[in-house]
Amino acid sequence: MNIIVLLLASMILCDGLLATGLSTNSTGRPKIVNIGAIFSSKSVIGKAAKVAIGAAIDDVNSHPDILQGTQLRLQLKDSNYSGFMAVVEALLFMEKDTVSIIGPQSSVTAHVISHIANVLQVPLLSFSSTDPTLSPIQFPFFVRTSQNDLYQMAAIAEIIDHYEWTEVIAIYEDDDHGRNGIAALGDKLAERRCRITYKARLSPEPTRDEITDVLVRVALRESRILVVHVPGSWGLTVFSVAQYLGMLGSGYVWIASNWLSTVLDTNSPLSQDAMDNIQGVVTLRMYTPDSELKRRFVSRWSNLTKGKPIGLNAYSLYAYDTVWLLARALNEFFNKGGNISFSNDSLSSELSEGNLHLDALSVFQGGNLLLDNILNVNMKGVTGDFRFTNDRNLINPAFELINVIGTGYRRIGYWSNHSGLTIVPPETLWGRPLNSSSTSQTVHGVVWPGQTTQKPRGWVFPNSGRHLKIGVPHRVSYREFVSVRGPDAITGYCIDVFTAALNLLPYAVPYKLIPFGDGRTNPSGTELVRLITAGEIDAAIGDIAIITNRTKMADFTQPYIESGLVVVAPVWRKNSNAFAFLRPFTGRMWAVTAIFFLLVGTVVWILEHRMNDEFRGPPRRQVVTLLWFSFSTWFFAHRENTVTGLGRVVLIIWLFVVLIIKSSYTASLTSILTVQQLTSPIKGIGTLIATKDPIGYQQGSFARNYLIEELKIDPSRLVALNSPEECAKALKDGPHKGGVAAMVDDRAYIELFLSTRCEFSIVGQEFTKNGWGFGTGLSKGLSSSSGHVNRHSQTLGQWRSPKDP
């Protein structure tokens, strides 16, 4: 790059002019110091900056103390939007002993001229080259005197994160400034788990047709969050085309970098058509705190631009402070003994050969000292506190957030790298502890495109023909839930639930059902969910149980069927016989009841026989009386009277107990005689685990892994069954004829299985709790389509009832 610059210099310089001495004033300082300025004076930034720089030169030269008699002489060059002309003019400055150059306006040009500044050791101060890749390591003589685009992109990323959007489309000029700015935005979005899904590039001087072609491609995309990072010279054309294409209606979000606020400030008022094209747009403006210096300068602006319709923008303020920064640095430069001298000795050895006339190029001998003084300046300017950090960025970067409404705009908040998004001026928070948590950040309400205050969703399904790929298990059994009869003939209860849920959405969802399985055996639900993780499908629907290992692979909707594992086993009816009247109580219950009868009779006899003649007599008679009294209380038919108080209390309590026993017996006996009684040797999962008999499970079900891993059942005991008929045969045959003792499966399947098979029944309690749901891509999605399904999960989850899809 250095050689290219030097070759260019040979084409425009024929002879050099070495400055060996300059006229000085009484203080020993030079009377005049030459400084240069390069920008496009007809551009949005340039025409206002020209006024601000001229005012700053006049103010510095009229100040008696700042340079102590030395005058700044400005050499202004108009690059007229040409990078080539800017380079030529930068070289021409060196004919007139220029100690510093203000500009260039363009970041693209700054990359080239910074090489010249490095070679000739001339500080290059730019108030508008905001490209974050203009590094002080690569370009030590480049000094940015306004805010770095890195902070602007951080502010935009924080706005997007604040509204919980995740995908962004970037529209930008395809040059160094545009590319590097969008790259910085991508990095800042990634820190918040967001991303740029599409980059719409525009040439540096696009035609309206080119802009139309690009925006048509943007409209076909999913995201409706559009960030526009283009020059102010043709940025409004982007919105004009967008309006023509209907892209400024409800649902869209347009965020413009600070070029739009610069256009609004400089060219205000815009035409009604231009304002109509940017309604609802959010843009940023470099924030400068209110101060007495700023108020005085703002009040002067109308006089400075008398007869010229030029508004004051933020770049103008930084341009004004840039001149003062240079003046203060020069003052310190002279105080430290610096002098204005140039030499080409260091270049002569490199350029001595050949016929190129490059001897006019000279190096500023005091360039390093002046650069150090520039970086160490600490002053208060119209933009506030003006000094540099260790990485040579201005302190306290902050931006205003502006919403275009009606014929003007309003401020909706601020952003600073100290406190994030706020609704109070950033300087009020700079002295407080850092607090950039999302809970503390807020902005005022925004009127979005389409004149709506409701936050846009930020995405739509694209019109590019991309359909969601929905995996469906190709079941062999229980086809009432999912039945695959052909590629376009997939029905069943689960499909009905999915379709009904989609019908609730206020927009169309294009999708394609993809069967999973060979159609000969039931596929594994876990393997189907794993396809989501692999990115082969976007979601999975069907009879998919929500279990722990599957939730680690994918997200799930709310369950639409509540289910769990149960045990089903053969049952048979208990036969009635002559002793059926004994069945209401177990043998132990009968024994306990008999003992209590005898015990109560004995207690009553002990309390009564001393005073009651009916409990007296020979021992044989007393035993008969005791037994008769106890038995007759069952029918409340005892004839013996009790005369003692304690005897009556015991009898009352006992008769109450007898009433309860008799009622329970009567109810149980009635049930036995009127209701069919079924029995099975398997009483539940505990009984099944205790045996060594084979256990059946449905092929492809998660029940196998659960029985092995959680209940520690030997895999050799487990028998895979592939159809309801196969299950019924295995249960009928039993463990001694090659069948199974019982079967473990989801309650939903078992209830359907038992609806036509009364010889089997659920035994014991449900021993797991899970539900069926639809699997979707993990948060943020492995593909854009996975993100679609995530957004529908809450709606799909509303279908919880298995009775009414």
Side-chain angles (χ1 to χ4, degrees):
M1 180 63 73
N2 293 347
I3 297 300
I4 295 174
V5 171
L6 297 179
L7 289 173
L8 180 60
S10 68
M11 299 167 59
I12 61 174
L13 299 176
C14 297
D15 293 298
L17 178 63
L18 293 179
T20 56
L22 296 173
S23 60
T24 61
N25 57 23
S26 59
T27 61
R29 297 185 176 194
K31 292 181 179 180
I32 296 175
V33 174
N34 293 322
I35 63 173
I38 305 173
F39 49 81
S40 300
S41 60
K42 295 180 182 179
S43 66
V44 175
I45 295 175
K47 61 185 179 181
K50 180 179 180 180
V51 177
I53 291 175
I57 293 292
D58 292 340
D59 292 345
V60 168
N61 288 338
S62 62
H63 199 288
D65 300 325
I66 187 65
L67 285 176
Q68 301 178 24
T70 298
Q71 298 286 301
L72 295 180
R73 181 161 58 192
L74 177 67
Q75 305 171 63
L76 179 61
K77 300 293 185 180
D78 186 356
S79 64
N80 196 24
Y81 299 101
S82 171
F84 174 79
M85 289 301 299
V87 174
V88 170
E89 288 157 357
L91 292 169
L92 289 173
F93 278 141
M94 305 318 298
E95 287 186 329
K96 300 181 180 180
D97 306 328
T98 302
V99 299
S100 181
I101 300 174
I102 298 175
Q105 180 178 318
S106 166
S107 296
V108 177
T109 308
H111 277 274
V112 179
I113 297 182
S114 291
H115 288 284
I116 299 175
N118 286 352
V119 173
L120 303 181
Q121 298 183 14
V122 176
L124 187 65
L125 311 181
S126 179
F127 56 87
S128 58
S129 299
T130 55
D131 183 349
T133 64
L134 286 165
S135 166
I137 297 176
Q138 182 182 8
F139 305 117
F141 279 86
F142 174 82
V143 181
R144 182 185 290 107
T145 58
S146 63
Q147 300 297 347
N148 193 326
D149 265 351
L150 188 67
Y151 299 115
Q152 178 175 207
M153 296 308 167
I156 294 175
E158 201 150 330
I159 294 171
I160 292 167
D161 184 53
H162 174 75
Y163 287 105
E164 299 179 339
W165 298 313
T166 58
E167 297 178 348
V168 175
I169 292 177
I171 302 171
Y172 64 98
E173 182 184 25
D174 192 16
D175 61 6
D176 288 345
H177 178 243
R179 286 191 298 269
N180 296 331
I182 295 303
L185 175 62
D187 293 340
K188 294 300 180 180
L189 287 172
E191 293 175 4
R192 293 163 174 80
R193 299 189 67 191
C194 306
R195 61 175 182 152
I196 298 175
T197 57
Y198 182 67
K199 294 182 178 180
R201 300 176 298 175
L202 291 166
S203 64
E205 295 181 4
T207 64
R208 189 177 180 88
D209 288 342
E210 180 186 346
I211 296 174
T212 302
D213 291 341
V214 169
L215 291 188
V216 167
R217 290 195 294 270
V218 168
L220 295 176
R221 297 284 169 171
E222 169 198 357
S223 176
R224 286 295 180 261
I225 312 301
L226 311 179
V227 176
V228 185
H229 185 53
V230 297
S233 57
W234 50 266
L236 291 178
T237 307
V238 173
F239 287 106
S240 175
V241 174
Q243 182 74 276
Y244 173 75
L245 295 175
M247 297 175 65
L248 282 163
S250 179
Y252 280 90
V253 174
W254 289 85
I255 302 175
S257 54
N258 63 354
W259 67 266
L260 180 55
S261 64
T262 304
V263 171
L264 289 171
D265 291 338
T266 308
N267 296 335
S268 183
L270 297 179
S271 67
Q272 186 59 51
D273 288 342
M275 291 302 298
D276 290 343
N277 292 338
I278 57 176
Q279 291 298 301
V281 176
V282 174
T283 184
L284 283 74
R285 176 200 285 150
M286 289 185 289
Y287 175 70
T288 54
D290 187 33
S291 65
E292 182 61 29
L293 283 174
K294 180 180 176 181
R295 287 193 294 270
R296 287 203 303 263
F297 184 72
V298 171
S299 66
R300 291 175 55 197
W301 188 257
S302 59
N303 292 328
L304 294 173
T305 58
K306 192 172 183 179
K308 302 175 184 177
I310 302 174
L312 177 63
N313 60 54
Y315 287 107
S316 305
L317 299 176
Y318 281 103
Y320 182 85
D321 277 352
T322 299
V323 175
W324 278 91
L325 167 72
L326 180 57
R328 294 180 183 277
L330 283 169
N331 184 57
E332 190 63 24
F333 171 81
F334 293 132
N335 287 340
K336 292 181 179 179
N339 60 84
I340 307 299
S341 61
F342 294 82
S343 170
N344 63 358
D345 293 341
S346 60
L347 298 174
S348 59
S349 59
E350 299 180 23
L351 306 176
S352 58
E353 298 181 0
N355 298 320
L356 298 177
H357 298 283
L358 302 176
D359 54 341
L361 293 176
S362 55
V363 177
F364 178 29
Q365 299 299 301
N368 284 296
L369 178 59
L370 179 58
L371 176 64
D372 291 340
N373 290 325
I374 290 172
L375 297 176
N376 290 324
V377 165
N378 183 359
M379 72 176 194
K380 284 189 178 293
V382 295
T383 58
D385 289 337
F386 203 100
R387 64 178 184 273
F388 296 95
T389 61
N390 293 333
D391 58 359
R392 289 172 57 168
N393 287 314
L394 290 180
I395 63 168
N396 301 327
F399 288 85
E400 296 176 77
L401 311 183
I402 293 174
N403 182 204
V404 181
I405 303 173
T407 58
Y409 54 83
R410 70 184 184 100
R411 183 190 302 117
I412 59 172
Y414 304 89
W415 177 92
S416 76
N417 68 331
H418 178 78
S419 55
L421 298 176
T422 67
I423 57 174
V424 297
E427 67 269 20
T428 63
L429 303 174
W430 286 334
R432 301 181 186 178
L434 178 64
N435 182 16
S436 58
S437 65
S438 59
T439 57
S440 67
Q441 298 187 6
T442 183
V443 294
H444 293 299
V446 178
V447 177
W448 303 102
Q451 299 299 311
T452 177
T453 57
Q454 183 177 2
K455 185 192 80 170
R457 184 171 62 238
W459 61 273
V460 295
F461 277 98
N463 297 320
S464 56
R466 174 71 165 90
H467 286 62
L468 295 181
K469 294 183 291 185
I470 310 293
V472 178
H474 191 171
R475 295 195 56 82
V476 176
S477 59
Y478 303 112
R479 294 189 177 184
E480 292 83 351
F481 294 110
V482 178
S483 176
V484 179
R485 295 185 174 88
D488 299 320
I490 302 177
T491 60
Y493 172 76
C494 298
I495 307 302
D496 293 341
V497 172
F498 176 73
T499 304
L502 291 187
N503 289 338
L504 290 178
L505 300 176
Y507 44 83
V509 180
Y511 65 91
K512 181 178 179 61
L513 298 180
I514 301 175
F516 172 70
D518 56 13
R520 295 186 294 272
T521 59
N522 290 325
S524 168
T526 302
E527 292 302 318
L528 176 58
V529 172
R530 187 171 285 114
L531 293 181
I532 300 175
T533 307
E536 296 184 23
I537 59 176
D538 300 311
I541 65 173
D543 50 337
I544 304 173
I546 304 173
I547 57 177
T548 302
N549 66 328
R550 293 176 185 173
T551 59
K552 294 178 180 178
M553 293 186 285
D555 285 344
F556 281 86
T557 63
Q558 292 294 322
Y560 62 91
I561 286 183
E562 293 183 355
S563 188
L565 292 179
V566 294
V567 178
V568 63
V571 294
W572 55 86
R573 183 179 179 183
K574 292 183 178 179
N575 295 323
S576 299
N577 52 43
F579 296 97
F581 68 92
L582 297 176
R583 284 166 55 186
F585 291 160
T586 63
R588 181 178 296 180
M589 181 63 182
W590 281 116
V592 170
T593 303
I595 291 173
F596 270 98
F597 269 97
L598 294 176
L599 181 61
V600 169
T602 302
V603 171
V604 171
W605 177 83
I606 293 173
L607 296 174
E608 294 288 330
H609 84 281
R610 293 181 181 180
M611 303 176 62
N612 192 339
D613 291 338
E614 295 183 7
F615 288 91
R616 291 183 180 180
R620 182 178 178 181
R621 179 185 173 188
Q622 293 185 41
V623 171
V624 172
T625 300
L626 185 152
L627 294 175
W628 174 253
F629 177 83
S630 299
F631 180 75
S632 62
T633 57
W634 175 263
F635 305 99
F636 303 101
H638 52 284
R639 294 178 300 174
E640 294 78 10
N641 294 321
T642 53
V643 297
T644 64
L646 288 176
R648 290 173 178 174
V649 170
V650 171
L651 182 60
I652 291 173
I653 295 174
W654 172 242
L655 290 177
F656 183 73
V657 173
V658 168
L659 177 63
I660 296 174
I661 295 174
K662 185 177 180 181
S663 299
S664 299
Y665 176 84
T666 303
S668 297
L669 183 60
T670 301
S671 175
I672 290 171
L673 296 177
T674 58
V675 180
Q676 184 180 22
Q677 298 295 305
L678 302 177
T679 186
S680 172
I682 305 297
K683 304 302 180 183
I685 188 63
T687 306
L688 197 59
I689 294 174
T691 68
K692 300 296 181 182
D693 295 332
I695 303 171
Y697 69 92
Q698 185 183 178
Q699 177 73 40
S701 171
F702 73 94
R704 172 183 171 84
N705 289 340
Y706 184 86
L707 294 173
I708 295 173
E709 297 172 5
E710 300 297 331
L711 301 183
K712 309 302 180 185
I713 294 177
D714 194 316
S716 62
R717 293 180 57 192
L718 303 181
V719 179
L721 304 172
N722 206 40
S723 68
E725 293 74 20
E726 192 175 337
C727 295
K729 183 178 184 303
L731 289 171
K732 287 180 180 178
D733 292 344
H736 304 297
K737 295 183 180 180
V740 296
M743 181 177 174
V744 175
D745 207 347
D746 247 321
R747 177 179 287 275
Y749 298 124
I750 295 303
E751 289 179 349
L752 187 59
F753 174 76
L754 296 178
S755 64
T756 57
R757 297 172 178 84
C758 300
E759 65 270 31
F760 311 110
S761 178
I762 295 174
V763 294
Q765 300 295 318
E766 188 174 282
F767 58 92
T768 67
K769 284 290 184 182
N770 57 271
W772 289 3
F774 300 150
T776 70
L778 292 172
S779 297
K780 304 291 183 179
L782 294 174
S783 68
S784 61
S785 296
S786 300
H788 306 332
V789 183
N790 283 332
R791 300 182 183 103
H792 310 325
S793 296
Q794 185 175 3
T795 303
L796 296 178
Q798 295 173 359
W799 293 87
R800 300 178 61 90
S801 172
K803 298 179 181 179
D804 183 13

